Amino acid sequence: MEPEAIRVTDAAMSEDAEIAPTATLSPAGVEGEPPVLGAGATVRGGTVIYPDVVIGEGFSTGHDAVIREATRIGDDVLVGTMAVIDGHARIGDGTSLQTNAYVPTQTIVGDRVFLGPGATLTNDATPVRDEATGLEGPTLNDDVTIGANATILPGVEIGEGAFVAAGAIVTEDVPPQTLAVGTPAEHRALPTDLEGRNQL
């Protein structure tokens, strides 16, 4: 069954919001408060935003993005085409999630963080094996860059300004201002040209 088309009553939003007719806010049958979108929101076709989501100003999506329940998103955030935020996550200001990026529940993402295409964060150390373990998403501090198709394992903390190379698999915490490369990722000194804040 196709999701219902968006209705103005499905969300609290400013008059300048641009919501595609094929986007869905508060899908039918899902309980909770309608999502709140700040000024200047652009939500493209096929995107689904669930209840109890609060989003700041200047938000935009690609096509077919999914943002699940109880997510908090700051100002000037991009959630790219087919990117998924699986709910109960926090996303800071100025952050960019590129195509097919995945953010699981219980994840914290800081300000000006970049997740490259296909970057995958995980939150379950023993999937479908141990119910008692609980879920623990990664923490990505301010100005972190995660390269395309990199994978971050549950509970890992990526320090401020760290850079994770494309395709890396990060199994342990990465110190601030450090380069993580390889499978499993090894830590190296951050090259000079990668130092500083992200310019997103």
Side-chain angles (χ1 to χ4, degrees):
M1 178 176 167
E2 291 295 315
E4 291 183 355
I6 182 175
R7 297 185 303 271
V8 172
T9 56
D10 285 335
M13 68 187 80
S14 63
E15 292 182 1
D16 65 347
E18 296 182 15
I19 312 295
T22 56
T24 301
L25 306 187
S26 291
V30 181
E31 295 183 1
E33 294 296 316
V36 176
L37 282 70
T42 300
V43 179
R44 292 184 170 85
T47 292
V48 181
I49 302 177
Y50 279 70
D52 298 322
V53 170
V54 177
I55 298 171
E57 298 181 357
F59 173 73
S60 62
T61 76
H63 296 277
D64 301 315
V66 176
I67 302 169
R68 296 293 302 267
E69 300 91 339
T71 294
R72 298 292 179 267
I73 296 176
D75 296 335
D76 302 313
V77 170
L78 167 67
V79 178
T81 295
M82 299 181 70
V84 175
I85 302 173
D86 236 348
H88 298 273
R90 295 204 323 252
I91 311 295
D93 297 340
T95 286
S96 178
L97 281 61
Q98 298 292 295
T99 299
N100 285 323
Y102 177 70
V103 176
T105 188
Q106 307 301 330
T107 296
I108 299 171
V109 177
D111 297 340
R112 300 173 305 279
V113 171
F114 178 85
L115 268 65
T120 300
L121 313 182
T122 63
N123 67 354
D124 192 346
T126 56
V128 302
R129 293 296 174 98
D130 184 0
E131 294 181 8
T133 301
L135 302 177
E136 184 182 9
T139 297
L140 279 55
N141 288 289
D142 295 349
D143 298 302
V144 162
T145 293
I146 308 295
N149 295 313
T151 300
I152 314 298
L153 294 193
V156 167
E157 181 170 0
I158 310 295
E160 184 172 347
F163 196 105
V164 175
I169 297 181
V170 180
T171 62
E172 59 184 21
D173 292 353
V174 178
Q177 300 294 325
T178 299
L179 176 64
V181 180
T183 306
E186 298 179 350
H187 300 164
R188 299 181 185 173
L190 191 67
T192 303
D193 60 345
L194 297 180
E195 293 177 354
R197 293 172 59 169
N198 286 340
Q199 307 296 316
L200 299 174

mmCIF file of all heavy atoms in Angstrom, residues 32 49 53 72 79 91 100 111 116 143 156-157 182 191:
data_model
loop_
_atom_site.group_PDB
_atom_site.id
_atom_site.type_symbol
_atom_site.label_atom_id
_atom_site.label_comp_id
_atom_site.label_asym_id
_atom_site.label_seq_id
_atom_site.Cartn_x
_atom_site.Cartn_y
_atom_site.Cartn_z
ATOM 1 N N GLY A 32 1.895 9.510 17.449
ATOM 2 C CA GLY A 32 2.850 10.515 17.878
ATOM 3 C C GLY A 32 2.466 11.886 17.380
ATOM 4 O O GLY A 32 1.520 12.054 16.596
ATOM 5 N N ILE A 49 8.885 11.354 6.686
ATOM 6 C CA ILE A 49 9.291 11.868 7.991
ATOM 7 C C ILE A 49 8.232 11.453 9.000
ATOM 8 O O ILE A 49 7.050 11.768 8.853
ATOM 9 C CB ILE A 49 9.462 13.402 7.966
ATOM 10 C CG1 ILE A 49 10.506 13.795 6.917
ATOM 11 C CG2 ILE A 49 9.885 13.909 9.350
ATOM 12 C CD1 ILE A 49 10.701 15.291 6.764
ATOM 13 N N VAL A 53 9.409 14.014 15.283
ATOM 14 C CA VAL A 53 10.669 14.515 14.731
ATOM 15 C C VAL A 53 10.646 16.040 14.800
ATOM 16 O O VAL A 53 9.642 16.661 14.456
ATOM 17 C CB VAL A 53 10.862 14.048 13.272
ATOM 18 C CG1 VAL A 53 12.043 14.757 12.612
ATOM 19 C CG2 VAL A 53 11.049 12.534 13.216
ATOM 20 N N ARG A 72 16.036 14.315 16.474
ATOM 21 C CA ARG A 72 16.228 15.764 16.603
ATOM 22 C C ARG A 72 17.321 16.185 15.629
ATOM 23 O O ARG A 72 18.432 15.640 15.669
ATOM 24 C CB ARG A 72 16.634 16.135 18.036
ATOM 25 C CG ARG A 72 15.581 15.793 19.083
ATOM 26 C CD ARG A 72 14.340 16.676 18.903
ATOM 27 N NE ARG A 72 13.294 16.368 19.884
ATOM 28 C CZ ARG A 72 12.300 15.522 19.674
ATOM 29 N NH1 ARG A 72 12.227 14.847 18.527
ATOM 30 N NH2 ARG A 72 11.372 15.320 20.583
ATOM 31 N N VAL A 79 19.810 15.749 4.333
ATOM 32 C CA VAL A 79 19.660 14.291 4.378
ATOM 33 C C VAL A 79 19.455 13.849 2.940
ATOM 34 O O VAL A 79 18.404 14.080 2.342
ATOM 35 C CB VAL A 79 18.478 13.867 5.278
ATOM 36 C CG1 VAL A 79 18.318 12.350 5.269
ATOM 37 C CG2 VAL A 79 18.694 14.366 6.709
ATOM 38 N N ILE A 91 21.126 14.859 15.431
ATOM 39 C CA ILE A 91 21.960 15.334 14.333
ATOM 40 C C ILE A 91 22.207 16.823 14.541
ATOM 41 O O ILE A 91 21.255 17.600 14.661
ATOM 42 C CB ILE A 91 21.277 15.113 12.966
ATOM 43 C CG1 ILE A 91 20.749 13.678 12.815
ATOM 44 C CG2 ILE A 91 22.227 15.491 11.841
ATOM 45 C CD1 ILE A 91 21.788 12.614 12.786
ATOM 46 N N ASN A 100 22.431 7.364 0.403
ATOM 47 C CA ASN A 100 22.508 6.016 0.997
ATOM 48 C C ASN A 100 23.240 5.962 2.334
ATOM 49 O O ASN A 100 23.581 4.870 2.801
ATOM 50 C CB ASN A 100 23.145 5.008 0.037
ATOM 51 C CG ASN A 100 22.202 4.600 -1.067
ATOM 52 O OD1 ASN A 100 21.003 4.458 -0.848
ATOM 53 N ND2 ASN A 100 22.726 4.425 -2.264
ATOM 54 N N ASP A 111 28.001 18.768 15.071
ATOM 55 C CA ASP A 111 27.868 19.836 14.081
ATOM 56 C C ASP A 111 28.883 19.660 12.947
ATOM 57 O O ASP A 111 30.007 19.208 13.170
ATOM 58 C CB ASP A 111 28.119 21.200 14.726
ATOM 59 C CG ASP A 111 27.101 21.550 15.797
ATOM 60 O OD1 ASP A 111 26.004 20.951 15.804
ATOM 61 O OD2 ASP A 111 27.408 22.415 16.639
ATOM 62 N N GLY A 116 29.773 10.435 3.905
ATOM 63 C CA GLY A 116 29.846 10.230 2.470
ATOM 64 C C GLY A 116 28.840 9.212 1.971
ATOM 65 O O GLY A 116 28.166 8.527 2.756
ATOM 66 N N ASP A 143 32.732 18.274 13.300
ATOM 67 C CA ASP A 143 33.707 18.361 12.197
ATOM 68 C C ASP A 143 34.334 17.027 11.820
ATOM 69 O O ASP A 143 35.427 16.978 11.259
ATOM 70 C CB ASP A 143 34.792 19.392 12.523
ATOM 71 C CG ASP A 143 34.211 20.780 12.696
ATOM 72 O OD1 ASP A 143 33.581 21.268 11.739
ATOM 73 O OD2 ASP A 143 34.366 21.368 13.783
ATOM 74 N N VAL A 156 31.289 3.167 19.061
ATOM 75 C CA VAL A 156 32.555 3.817 18.743
ATOM 76 C C VAL A 156 32.375 5.333 18.788
ATOM 77 O O VAL A 156 31.356 5.863 18.335
ATOM 78 C CB VAL A 156 33.051 3.379 17.349
ATOM 79 C CG1 VAL A 156 34.186 4.267 16.857
ATOM 80 C CG2 VAL A 156 33.502 1.920 17.387
ATOM 81 N N GLU A 157 33.372 6.037 19.335
ATOM 82 C CA GLU A 157 33.355 7.488 19.334
ATOM 83 C C GLU A 157 34.435 8.014 18.397
ATOM 84 O O GLU A 157 35.605 7.636 18.503
ATOM 85 C CB GLU A 157 33.575 8.051 20.734
ATOM 86 C CG GLU A 157 33.548 9.566 20.759
ATOM 87 C CD GLU A 157 33.521 10.162 22.148
ATOM 88 O OE1 GLU A 157 33.529 9.383 23.134
ATOM 89 O OE2 GLU A 157 33.488 11.399 22.255
ATOM 90 N N GLY A 182 41.718 1.909 6.574
ATOM 91 C CA GLY A 182 41.893 0.474 6.435
ATOM 92 C C GLY A 182 40.833 -0.361 7.107
ATOM 93 O O GLY A 182 39.856 0.122 7.658
ATOM 94 N N PRO A 191 46.791 14.471 7.934
ATOM 95 C CA PRO A 191 47.543 15.348 7.041
ATOM 96 C C PRO A 191 47.147 16.814 7.227
ATOM 97 O O PRO A 191 45.983 17.115 7.539
ATOM 98 C CB PRO A 191 47.145 14.849 5.650
ATOM 99 C CG PRO A 191 46.728 13.431 5.862
ATOM 100 C CD PRO A 191 46.085 13.408 7.213
#
